[in-house]
Amino acid sequence: MIMEQAGYFASLKEKMRRERDTALFCLEEVDSTNRFAKEKAPECGKLMACALRQTAGRGRLGRHWVSPEGNLYVSFAYENTMPPERLAPVTLAVALAVCDTLADFDVPASIKWPNDIYIKGKKVCGILVETVCRGERIPYIVAGIGINVNQREFPAEVENRAVSLWNVTGKESDRAEIAWRLKKQMDRRMAQFMEKGFAAMREEYMQHSLLTGREVTASVPHTVCGICIGVSETGDLLLEAGGKRIPVTFGEVTGRLQFEGMPGEE
Ligand SMILES: O=C(O)CCCC[C@@H]1SC[C@@H]2NC(=O)N[C@@H]21
């Protein structure tokens, strides 16, 4: 039984009362908060949609995001002012907003490029950014964020890869407080991104980068194995292999992630 559930939405609504520029939706159950936010954005503009559970949560690369009660499932819609060709690294800005939020609760976390959030070598949060398109234009961006908060146990097939805040802190966390902080950090990072682009936050991203200095394998789409030397000003992952610098713009990267010395790592 998750004790904080009873007050979650009431407390979030209270905190959001003065945020008049953002429409808030608190949903007991929805297929996907991202799908919901994409549908509502043209009518409502800036919005925040939270759900207790999702029946068809969407993950990256067409995967399913299993969404039991106890965790945070939230999507934000923002009006986009960035030209489409400069928009790709917005997903990295969202990852930074999640790290900023977890830091507010004294939980240091790392980013596995492009936008998976890790604590102690295990994934605590997934991010899926989608767009609302009108012809050539992209009027809205939807950033969907799933944070494992009060889930205590994971299915056997993912338990060595997934972690929750409960696993890390040993206590229940207040989702309303986390959602509220996340909203503030998202507003800040999205404004920074729209105004100055990813280059303005690249250094901070690098400080959270889980892969830098590690050997990683990327599918670009052919498989490349190299040492990660960081992230470019346009948000590409940079690998060094065979004396060459190889930018990776999209796809899956893998590497040995349970190692020492990174923020939030053991
Ligand atoms: O790591 C991933 O594959 C991304 C997972 C993103 C999950 C979140 S939960 C809230 C929002 N709604 C969705 O349907 N997906 C995102």
Side-chain angles (χ1 to χ4, degrees):
M1 174 70 184
I2 299 145
M3 300 307 289
E4 56 80 65
Q5 180 128 311
Y8 171 22
F9 282 165
S11 170
L12 183 58
K13 283 177 188 164
E14 178 58 30
K15 290 176 201 297
M16 288 285 290
R17 227 156 34 97
R18 265 175 258 118
E19 303 286 305
R20 293 183 197 272
D21 69 336
T22 306
L24 174 68
F25 295 89
C26 292
L27 311 161
E28 292 223 344
E29 182 175 290
V30 70
D31 50 356
S32 154
T33 55
N34 264 30
R35 203 246 352 115
F36 181 90
K38 282 178 79 173
E39 183 186 296
K40 289 283 178 195
E43 172 193 328
C44 304
K46 192 174 172 194
L47 70 86
M48 175 178 185
C50 300
L52 295 184
R53 53 189 178 272
Q54 300 182 114
T55 53
R58 300 177 185 172
R60 284 184 72 224
L61 308 171
R63 294 183 189 129
H64 178 58
W65 186 258
V66 181
S67 309
E69 285 196 5
N71 296 328
L72 196 70
Y73 309 109
V74 56
S75 296
F76 297 92
Y78 288 92
E79 280 180 33
N80 173 40
T81 54
M82 194 55 109
E85 65 278 9
R86 292 189 60 206
L87 201 51
V90 69
T91 166
L92 282 64
V94 177
L96 260 184
V98 173
C99 287
D100 296 337
T101 305
L102 294 177
D104 287 342
F105 295 91
D106 296 320
V107 176
S110 303
I111 307 168
K112 175 181 171 258
W113 184 92
N115 60 7
D116 285 342
I117 310 299
Y118 274 64
I119 297 173
K120 299 184 175 165
K122 295 182 176 183
K123 183 162 163 174
V124 69
C125 166
I127 294 165
L128 179 68
V129 175
E130 299 187 79
T131 51
V132 176
C133 300
R134 291 285 173 272
E136 305 272 277
R137 286 190 322 115
I138 299 180
Y140 299 101
I141 294 165
V142 167
I145 300 167
I147 304 180
N148 300 330
V149 179
N150 290 322
Q151 185 169 356
R152 297 189 181 196
E153 286 168 7
F154 291 89
E157 62 275 18
V158 295
E159 74 179 352
N160 62 344
R161 288 183 279 131
V163 73
S164 68
L165 297 184
W166 194 93
N167 297 146
V168 175
T169 63
K171 58 179 172 39
E172 274 188 9
S173 296
D174 181 342
R175 274 173 292 173
E177 199 59 48
I178 297 172
W180 168 245
R181 286 306 312 162
L182 184 59
K183 197 261 175 202
K184 290 291 185 192
Q185 299 291 9
M186 278 293 290
D187 282 358
R188 189 170 74 88
R189 287 295 179 190
M190 292 301 282
Q192 186 187 23
F193 179 81
M194 294 296 171
E195 206 179 306
K196 299 183 176 147
F198 175 68
M201 57 188 89
R202 177 179 162 272
E203 275 304 318
E204 287 171 278
Y205 186 94
M206 291 280 284
Q207 282 161 22
H208 289 89
S209 169
L210 185 56
L211 298 176
T212 306
R214 310 283 156 182
E215 189 174 272
V216 301
T217 303
S219 317
V220 287
H222 55 285
T223 302
V224 175
C225 193
I227 302 293
C228 174
I229 54 169
V231 173
S232 75
E233 296 219 330
T234 54
D236 294 346
L237 187 74
L238 298 172
L239 300 188
E240 207 163 65
K244 284 195 195 135
R245 177 180 280 214
I246 301 162
V248 179
T249 50
F250 177 79
E252 271 294 76
V253 294
T254 52
R256 203 170 63 81
L257 299 175
Q258 274 146 338
F259 44 72
E260 293 172 9
M262 298 298 297
E265 304 305 311
E266 289 192 316

